[in-house]
Amino acid sequence: MDVSKNLTPRLRMVCELLLPCECVADIGTDHAYVPIFLVQKKLCRRAIACDTAKGPLAAARANIAKFGVKDVSVRESDGFSQILPNEADAAILAGMGGDLIVRIMASPTVSTFQQIIIQPQRAPALIRRSLHQNGFLIDREALCRENDRFYCAFRAVRGSEREWTMAQYELGKRLIEDKHPLLASYAAHKIKKLSEALSHMPQEHENYAEYIELKHSLEDFL
């Protein structure tokens, strides 16, 4: 049975960023649709579906059995805590907040991955900066809209690159280079959020000047 129909645009976007690999660790797997899909489509030979909650782990096991996939294992793991060194050569962190992703990425296990696919729910600029500060470059980015929400995702690989501009960190330099068709709408959405935040923020607030600068930089992409 093919799991493809269960993938939302957001999850399909995540899957499309992965380069073929030996084993992928999907952190925060929830229903395990992503690792099941990747094994079915032979984008990886094996996958480890990881989560911290009993409910998602049970759902993952049920779906693995339902779709008849033998090469996806389920593991209770807080981030990469239960992933052995060199056990996986790729990782996926999708559907989490920026602070949590940065915390998980602080694990020494990260150094063993050849690629990491990240799809944050919030604070993409924070994660992009953290990747650059920790020996990664971002070689591809994607953007989609699902249920009136924007979702970005990016692939990080080992390497270094020059520091990006404020707008590039916020929107995604690769999306800008690719002239993504949703880029202007995405920038407008972020400008609206910044304007709302600024309307309730006194000018003496420590973030006020930074928000104003970011808002002006994003206006170039409308």
Side-chain angles (χ1 to χ4, degrees):
M1 188 185 301
D2 190 350
V3 75
S4 297
K5 66 179 182 181
N6 296 88
L7 295 184
T8 63
R10 177 179 69 89
L11 295 180
R12 189 173 292 277
M13 173 180 68
V14 168
C15 292
E16 289 174 350
L17 285 175
L18 187 77
L19 295 170
C21 63
E22 178 69 23
C23 178
V24 62
D26 181 31
I27 307 301
T29 196
D30 198 4
H31 34 54
Y33 290 147
V34 166
I36 291 170
F37 175 87
L38 295 173
V39 169
Q40 284 188 337
K41 300 303 178 183
K42 303 187 186 307
L43 285 165
C44 62
R45 294 182 61 183
R46 297 179 292 111
I48 307 168
C50 302
D51 215 298
T52 57
K54 302 294 184 184
L57 290 169
R61 291 189 181 95
N63 283 326
I64 290 166
K66 174 183 176 181
F67 290 99
V69 179
K70 296 180 180 179
D71 294 317
V72 180
S73 60
V74 177
R75 198 171 299 177
E76 184 174 350
S77 180
D78 181 7
F80 300 122
S81 64
Q82 300 304 311
I83 304 298
L84 300 175
N86 299 308
E87 183 178 18
D89 57 342
I92 294 173
L93 299 168
M96 305 177 196
D99 290 335
L100 177 56
I101 289 175
V102 169
R103 179 182 71 78
I104 292 173
M105 289 287 291
S107 166
T109 304
V110 167
S111 66
T112 68
F113 299 130
Q114 299 300 311
Q115 58 177 317
I116 302 176
I117 311 302
I118 297 175
Q119 184 276 299
Q121 298 294 80
R122 295 174 297 281
L126 172 70
I127 301 167
R128 290 182 176 110
R129 289 182 187 276
S130 178
L131 287 167
H132 282 168
Q133 292 164 3
N134 289 280
F136 285 92
L137 64 82
I138 298 165
D139 72 336
R140 188 178 168 200
E141 296 181 298
L143 180 67
C144 75
R145 196 166 190 171
E146 180 184 311
N147 298 328
D148 292 326
R149 286 193 63 179
F150 287 100
Y151 294 100
C152 68
F154 33 93
R155 181 175 65 220
V157 297
R158 280 286 164 189
S160 62
E161 58 183 328
R162 290 183 179 180
E163 186 175 356
W164 294 1
T165 66
M166 179 181 284
Q168 288 170 342
Y169 276 119
E170 188 64 33
L171 293 176
K173 184 179 180 181
R174 306 303 173 218
L175 295 177
I176 295 170
E177 291 173 342
D178 294 341
K179 296 180 173 57
H180 195 284
L182 290 176
L183 186 64
S185 299
Y186 188 43
H189 169 75
K190 286 184 173 290
I191 289 168
K192 180 180 178 181
K193 291 291 186 182
L194 283 167
S195 297
E196 291 172 354
L198 285 164
S199 69
H200 301 290
M201 185 182 294
Q203 292 188 16
E204 60 271 18
H205 191 281
E206 60 181 358
N207 293 329
Y208 188 86
E210 180 184 348
Y211 279 30
I212 288 289
E213 183 182 359
L214 177 58
K215 179 174 176 289
H216 289 330
S217 71
L218 296 181
E219 288 170 350
D220 291 338
F221 299 95
L222 293 178

